[in-house]
Amino acid sequence: MHLRKAPSIEAPDPNHRTKLLKIGARQCRYIVSDDPRHAVFCGASTREASSWCDWHRRLVYVPSQPGRGERGTRVPEAK
């Protein structure tokens, strides 16, 4: 079995970071600060219909696995 190496993705520029009330459309909503009361978001540009830039999407996205149903429940096997 051969695993494909993921393409290299550059880390987002810290200059894009922004506060919640200033974040715009197509900006990454990954929280990069430690204090949730004063959250700072990545702010890098995103693909259409995504909440995260490519860098942070790799951290938060878990692809579905065969044999798994909604919310991680097991799908019964046919007998």
Side-chain angles (χ1 to χ4, degrees):
M1 172 188 223
H2 292 281
L3 297 176
R4 287 189 308 161
K5 187 175 180 178
S8 177
I9 298 174
E10 206 171 300
D13 185 344
N15 290 324
H16 292 292
R17 293 181 178 178
T18 187
K19 300 272 186 174
L20 176 63
L21 297 178
K22 294 189 177 190
I23 201 162
R26 308 230 8 228
Q27 281 188 287
C28 181
R29 279 147 172 75
Y30 188 88
I31 298 173
V32 294
S33 60
D34 292 330
D35 184 358
R37 292 175 295 157
H38 303 288
V40 175
F41 297 84
C42 169
S45 47
T46 64
R47 295 180 187 210
E48 192 165 338
S50 179
S51 296
W52 307 289
C53 65
D54 289 341
W55 178 268
H56 288 115
R57 182 174 170 79
R58 290 191 316 178
L59 298 176
V60 299
Y61 178 72
V62 178
S64 62
Q65 298 174 1
R68 307 272 302 179
E70 291 290 317
R71 299 184 184 243
T73 58
R74 290 229 171 250
V75 176
E77 293 183 22
K79 292 183 180 182

